[in-house]
């Protein structure tokens, strides 16, 4: 037998060993997770979307709430987007929720509300990529499709001593081909979950637990003593830091006990979610370490002008607290200033009509007056004195969309918060404020 033939035979033996003992371990050790208690493809689909970039223990309560509120594809497809976002609130990566609802509408319209078991059909759903498609097809329908994510690539890199960069497309293709070869006949769903489980519990990114690993005997990286250095992965570009000034506007008179929130544009970053008004800090005046406070006078003046041009009639009073929100490409450091509502000036009558509107009652759509509001805000912006350089209400990167969609506003109490979906950082800020006020 030649050296090449011996190598091929050893590789085949390692593959058979891996598949057999990994499955045996999984059947004995698998965690009791809510989406594993049935083969409902809709539930499996939801769990896989939620588990992207999110830990299992975080997902479990969200998953249970989500399927209680939207138990079927039709229920999700027909729900107002605001309800879907509110149910997703705190999970982050909100485009996942929007894509999920869009795909539910596709399933309802094209497949009668039944998640398809056809590969091309599943791949055609909004927000479903190769990993999610493989997971749905294998776990729900036991189709022999690979489901390769970061956990799986880490396991395969170590076991087979693959030193290719897993951030590169060709490496993913290579891993998907290898994973497909490993799937035992009739065990696609269990095997793919076993791979995920091993990566999550044993073959972890740092300090892999080799001793309890069911396949350690043939793990090439362990035998070579390099398991801790795999997988090879090019480091992603770090997110860009952004300093922002946020206004926590406390109401007076008819708005006493409430704070002002605004809605983001209908597209782009955090689309249609609600937040405290905030703007970029003056670039020329940001100095020192990230998160350092601007000079008080500069920050208060910037906030005053920003709020005035947004039709918000309030006086900045002082710094309240700092908070941070991390996206894949940006890190916001929010310096939050308490502001006090003031009577509107006569020149701002157009804006005042919107700004002074009563909060939406429960059941009212927060989007109802959005288009009309945009026109009124535009009119208010046009009335600003020439010496004040215009400041964008939003800066999502799409100037036309920002100008058209600039922010419906609401006065809300703590009780009203249940009717609006907030990014996690603003949810925490609002809860901290109402806790502080004893509300």
């Amino acid at each position: 037998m030649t050296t090449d033939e011996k190598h091929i035979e050893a590789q085949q033996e390692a593959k058979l060993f891996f598949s057999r003992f990994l499955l045996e371990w999984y059947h004995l050790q698998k965690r009791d997770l809510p989406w594993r208690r049935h083969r409902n493809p809709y539930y499996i689909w939801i769990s896989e979307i939620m588990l992207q970039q999110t830990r299992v223990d975080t997902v479990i309560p969200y998953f249970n709430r989500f399927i209680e509120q939207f138990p079927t594809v039709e229920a999700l497809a027909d729900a107002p987007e605001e309800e879907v976002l509110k149910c997703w609130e705190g999970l982050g990566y909100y485009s996942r929720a929007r894509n999920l609802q869009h795909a539910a509408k596709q399933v309802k319209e094209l497949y009668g509300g039944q998640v398809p078991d056809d590969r091309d059909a599943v791949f055609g759903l909004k927000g479903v990529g190769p990993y999610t498609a493989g997971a749905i097809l294998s776990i729900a329908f036991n189709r022999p499709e690979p489901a390769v994510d970061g956990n799986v690539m880490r396991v395969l890199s170590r076991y087979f001593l693959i030193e290719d960069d897993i951030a590169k497309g060709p490496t993913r293709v290579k891993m998907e081909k290898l994973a497909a070869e490993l799937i035992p006949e009739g065990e696609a769903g269990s095997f793919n979950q076993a791979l995920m489980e091993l990566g999550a519990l044993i073959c972890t990114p740092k300090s892999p637990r080799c001793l309890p690993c069911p396949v350690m005997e043939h793990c090439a990286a362990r035998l070579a003593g390099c398991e801790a250095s795999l997988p090879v992965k090019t480091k992603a570009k770090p997110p860009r830091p952004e300093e922002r000034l946020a206004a926590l506007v406390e109401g007076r008179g008819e708005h006493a006990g409430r704070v002002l929130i605004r809605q983001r544009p209908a597209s782009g970053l955090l689309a249609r979610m609600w937040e405290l008004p905030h703007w970029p800090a003056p670039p020329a005046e940001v100095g020192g370490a990230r998160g350092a406070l601007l000079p008080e006078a500069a920050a208060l003046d910037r906030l005053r002008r920003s709020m005035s041009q947004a039709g918000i009639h309030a006086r900045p009073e002082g710094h309240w607290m700092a908070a941070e929100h991390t996206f894949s490409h940006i890190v916001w450091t929010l310096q939050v200033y308490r502001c006090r509502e003031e009577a509107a000036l006569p020149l701002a009558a157009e804006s005042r009509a919107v700004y002074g509107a009563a909060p939406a009652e429960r059941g009212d759509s927060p989007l109802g007056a959005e288009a009309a509001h945009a026109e009124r805000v535009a009119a208010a912006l046009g009335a600003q004195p020439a010496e004040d350089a215009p400041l964008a209400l939003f800066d999502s990167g799409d100037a036309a969309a920002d100008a058209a969609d600039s922010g419906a506003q609401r006065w809300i109490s703590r009780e009203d918060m249940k009717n609006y979906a907030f990014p996690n950082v603003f949810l925490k800020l609002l809860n901290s404020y109402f806790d502080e006020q004893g509300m």
Side-chain angles (χ1 to χ4, degrees):
M1 185 179 291
T2 66
T3 301
D4 286 346
E5 287 173 336
K6 288 180 181 178
H7 177 71
I8 292 170
E9 184 177 328
Q11 279 287 94
Q12 187 60 30
E13 181 184 349
K15 289 178 182 179
L16 292 172
F17 180 91
F18 183 87
S19 300
R20 175 187 169 188
F21 286 94
L22 180 61
L23 262 180
E24 288 183 3
W25 170 81
Y26 176 72
H27 288 310
L28 290 172
Q29 303 292 334
K30 66 180 178 181
R31 289 173 289 180
D32 179 21
L33 302 176
W35 46 87
R36 287 180 177 166
R37 297 170 190 166
H38 39 66
R39 296 280 290 274
N40 186 324
Y42 171 61
Y43 291 177
I44 291 166
W45 175 22
I46 291 170
S47 72
E48 290 299 336
I49 298 297
M50 287 187 169
L51 286 164
Q52 294 170 11
Q53 309 292 324
T54 312
R55 294 172 58 86
V56 167
D57 53 357
T58 300
V59 165
I60 290 174
Y62 280 94
F63 173 82
N64 290 332
R65 278 198 302 271
F66 200 90
I67 63 172
E68 181 180 354
Q69 188 164 348
F70 312 111
T72 65
V73 170
E74 291 90 344
L76 177 58
D78 295 341
E81 184 182 274
E82 293 89 347
E83 289 184 15
V84 177
L85 290 175
K86 186 64 181 177
C87 197
W88 200 273
E89 185 181 67
L91 263 182
Y93 300 95
Y94 293 94
S95 61
R96 294 182 297 172
R98 294 188 182 90
N99 289 341
L100 183 60
Q101 186 178 34
H102 186 282
K105 293 176 181 178
Q106 289 178 277
V107 172
K108 178 185 174 184
E109 293 167 5
L110 300 176
Y111 308 109
Q114 299 298 311
V115 177
D117 62 355
D118 175 76
R119 187 176 187 273
D120 291 339
V122 173
F123 264 98
L125 299 177
K126 181 82 168 176
V128 174
Y131 166 76
T132 305
I136 294 169
L137 290 166
S138 62
I139 299 170
F141 303 110
N142 210 24
R143 295 291 184 88
E145 295 283 345
V148 175
D149 65 354
N151 273 344
V152 171
M153 287 197 282
R154 182 170 62 254
V155 170
L156 297 181
S157 291
R158 288 172 176 168
Y159 186 82
F160 292 100
L161 192 52
I162 298 171
E163 297 179 292
D164 300 341
D165 186 348
I166 66 170
K168 308 259 182 215
T171 305
R172 172 175 284 277
V173 172
K174 178 179 179 178
M175 294 284 193
E176 288 173 347
K177 183 176 182 296
L178 175 58
E181 294 172 358
L182 295 169
I183 298 173
E185 187 175 351
E187 293 278 9
S190 293
F191 179 77
N192 281 344
Q193 290 181 92
L195 260 176
M196 300 170 200
E197 196 86 329
L198 189 71
L201 301 180
I202 303 293
C203 199
T204 50
K206 296 179 181 178
S207 304
R209 300 169 56 219
C210 292
L211 287 179
C213 177
V215 295
M216 66 171 288
E217 185 178 331
H218 285 276
C219 178
R222 185 191 67 83
L223 293 171
C226 62
E227 67 277 6
S229 64
L230 291 174
V232 174
K233 184 178 182 181
T234 303
K235 289 186 177 180
K237 185 178 179 181
R240 179 182 78 253
E242 260 190 29
E243 300 281 342
R244 303 186 74 84
L245 305 178
L248 192 145
V249 183
E250 300 172 289
R252 300 175 64 188
E254 64 177 314
H255 300 141
R258 299 176 182 269
V259 297
L260 188 70
I261 60 171
R262 72 175 180 187
Q263 189 176 38
R264 292 190 63 79
S267 61
L269 192 68
L270 301 174
R272 292 184 180 171
M273 300 195 76
W274 294 80
E275 63 184 2
L276 297 177
H278 59 99
W279 297 268
E285 299 182 61
V286 176
R290 195 179 89 201
L293 285 175
L294 290 173
E296 184 86 353
L300 296 181
D301 179 66
R302 178 67 171 221
L303 265 184
R304 177 193 63 77
R305 293 200 302 124
S306 298
M307 288 190 294
S308 175
Q309 294 186 357
I312 298 172
H313 311 295
R315 182 181 72 253
E317 295 192 328
H319 186 263
W320 178 50
M321 68 164 58
E324 192 170 273
H325 191 65
T326 302
F327 302 91
S328 58
H329 61 302
I330 303 172
V331 178
W332 282 351
T333 298
L334 296 160
Q335 300 297 348
V336 187
Y337 290 79
R338 290 177 77 155
C339 306
R340 180 71 65 177
E341 181 187 12
E342 290 188 321
L345 298 174
L347 282 176
E350 262 319 306
S351 179
R352 187 169 67 250
V354 176
Y355 165 78
E361 296 294 332
R362 185 174 184 180
D364 287 350
S365 169
L367 301 178
E370 189 175 355
H373 171 76
E375 294 178 7
R376 288 191 286 267
V377 170
L381 287 173
Q384 297 303 317
E387 62 267 21
D388 270 352
L391 300 170
L393 292 177
F394 296 98
D395 57 344
S396 70
D398 184 339
D402 292 346
D405 286 316
S406 297
Q409 299 169 3
R410 297 284 186 274
W411 287 101
I412 63 161
S413 65
R414 183 169 218 160
E415 177 67 15
D416 296 323
M417 286 176 63
K418 63 179 178 289
N419 299 323
Y420 299 87
F422 299 93
N424 209 33
V425 64
F426 295 106
L427 191 66
K428 290 177 179 178
L429 286 168
L430 286 165
N431 279 324
S432 293
Y433 172 75
F434 286 124
D435 284 344
E436 188 178 285
Q437 301 302 306
M439 297 178 182

